[in-house]
Amino acid sequence: MPFFSDRARHLLRLHAQRNASDQWPILKRRVATAAGAVLLGLVALAFARASDLAQELFGHALARWPYAPLVATPLAFAAVVWATRRWARDARGSGIPQVIAAGRSADEQAATRLLSLGTAAKKLVLTVTMLLFGASVGREGPSVQVSAAIMVALHRLLRVPITAGVLIAGGAAGVAAAFNTPLAGVAFAIEELAAAYEQRVAVLVMGAVMIAGMVSLGIAGDYVYFGAVDQTLKLHRVLLLAPLAGLLGGVAGGLFTRVVLGFSDGRTGWARALKARPVLFAGLCGLVVAVLGVGTGGATWGTGYGATRALVEGGEVSGWFGPAKLMATLATTLTGAPGGIFAPSLAIGAGFGNLLTALFPYSPPGAVVVIGMVAYFVGVVRAPFTAVIIVSETTAARGLILPMFAAALIADWVSARVCQERLYHGLARPFVAETEGPPRPAGAQSSSSS
């Protein structure tokens, strides 16, 4: 009997040790995810403040020297593109393609190079620099890459295996912290970052998004990014507006994607000719952005946040804002300089929605603008669920969710007819090729990708 008792105690002790050893990796993964989410939430807030400050400084400079951007902006574009190609190749463009490419790559070392802390730091500095000189870029795409890099760094520090779920969770939390939109972070993870969405990934994503959102909410407060819209639309107007907005947004967004991907691939003669001298081309694009900014009285500078908020809240903005902002964003994007297209795309959509208000004079202008925002954004990124959630969370337009979904689905279908490949997945191909190819010699250069 004593022998049996000792044997039982020994088996129980072995079972407890085995359980403890099994639980330790899980605990480390949870600690890494929670710590990463807190840190990236703080970084996202600091990045937002630096971006706002850069735009404020640019505005002060404009007030004193209104025509200075005609010289300063082209020079800044050329300098940033040169610096990116020379020292920060993995920081070029939006940042979302890098996260997608890292998740697809079989080479962990090459993939994590795209998401290193050094690359993240360069991304932040260069994006803020672009905003300092009026570039039509957003901070949401860069926030995705930076947030994924922070997640990777914390997991490596704690020696936790880095899976696709880690990258997805970091990127999703970056969207949530940048816009103060937790649901949009989850939607973005499903539609853009996750090729195969599993239950384990879902828990990881929601945990990271929740923590990052709480950090943002606790410091920045409960705010609505673009202002609140409490109007609704009558059914007979929805039946006219949603298809029209979906068609316009799908065509315009699809053409934007087609041009950007065609330039990125460099398969056509015009793209090869322009990319042969990237720094000079960047300077010319900067001149286009400067002329548009001066010509529109400053409406197209930066993220377009001010004009978008004014339109959402029923204010008046020139009808040229939407087309001009589209050209400024396209010119900026083609350079391959660091910076995102989320906020500029929403601004362009607001501009096109503003054009539609003339056709619907008896509908609330803010509601029509919101439908336009969703339609164009979907036309570019082909993520209807993400678009509806982002716009509904950034405008509090919950009464317009069904019209937004109708416009989004139509825009998605139309955009796919114009350009079959989705923007971020197409832009991820060069990064995937780089991670699968032979190691690059130091200082080596290749064509930039937006």
Side-chain angles (χ1 to χ4, degrees), residues 96 144 171-172 175 183-194 342 383 386 424:
I96 295 172
V144 170
V175 171
L183 291 178
V186 176
F188 179 74
I190 297 171
E191 287 193 298
E192 281 297 325
L193 299 181
F342 261 51
T386 299
Y424 291 128

Side-chain angles (χ1 to χ4, degrees), residues 98-400:
Q98 287 92 317
V99 179
I100 293 174
R104 290 179 181 176
S105 177
D107 185 346
E108 181 178 329
Q109 183 177 3
T112 53
R113 188 194 69 234
L114 295 172
L115 302 176
S116 69
L117 289 180
T119 297
K122 295 170 186 174
K123 186 82 166 191
L124 295 177
V125 172
L126 292 171
T127 301
V128 171
T129 302
M130 291 293 284
L131 287 169
L132 186 60
F133 289 91
S136 182
V137 296
R139 54 182 170 80
E140 298 75 29
S143 293
V144 170
Q145 184 178 8
V146 171
S147 298
I150 291 172
M151 277 293 190
V152 168
L154 263 295
H155 280 70
R156 294 185 75 175
L157 179 65
L158 296 177
R159 298 182 180 179
V160 179
I162 300 170
T163 63
V166 173
L167 309 184
I168 294 167
V175 171
F179 274 125
N180 195 27
T181 53
L183 291 178
V186 176
F188 179 74
I190 297 171
E191 287 193 298
E192 281 297 325
L193 299 181
Y197 199 72
E198 301 174 355
Q199 184 64 29
R200 286 185 304 172
V201 176
V203 174
L204 196 65
V205 167
M206 285 187 283
V209 165
M210 179 192 70
I211 295 169
M214 289 175 64
V215 171
S216 176
L217 187 65
I219 296 177
D222 186 13
Y223 63 93
V224 181
Y225 192 82
F226 286 121
V229 175
D230 56 5
Q231 301 103 334
T232 58
L233 292 168
K234 294 185 178 181
L235 179 60
H236 67 279
R237 289 174 185 155
V238 171
L239 294 177
L240 294 174
L241 175 59
L244 183 58
L247 177 63
L248 178 63
V251 170
L255 288 174
F256 178 91
T257 299
R258 194 177 185 91
V259 172
V260 171
L261 292 183
F263 186 81
S264 176
D265 290 341
R267 296 174 183 172
T268 57
W270 66 270
R272 285 194 297 272
L274 292 175
K275 295 179 73 168
R277 297 185 178 277
V279 176
L280 176 61
F281 175 64
L284 293 175
C285 288
L287 181 60
V288 171
V289 172
V291 170
L292 289 168
V294 172
T296 59
T300 61
W301 296 124
T303 61
Y305 169 80
T308 304
R309 186 174 185 116
L311 288 172
V312 167
E313 295 182 339
E316 293 186 5
V317 174
S318 169
W320 287 107
F321 170 68
K325 185 64 176 174
L326 172 59
M327 295 304 298
T329 303
L330 181 62
T332 304
T333 303
L334 291 181
T335 66
I341 62 171
F342 261 51
S345 294
L346 291 170
I348 295 166
F352 282 123
N354 184 43
L355 294 176
L356 291 175
T357 59
L359 300 177
F360 298 89
Y362 300 107
S363 298
V368 178
V369 166
V370 163
I371 302 300
M373 290 172 67
V374 168
Y376 178 78
F377 187 82
V378 172
V380 174
V381 303
R382 299 274 308 283
F385 188 52
T386 299
V388 172
I389 297 301
I390 281 183
V391 174
S392 64
E393 286 191 292
T394 55
T395 63
R398 296 173 182 84
L400 296 172

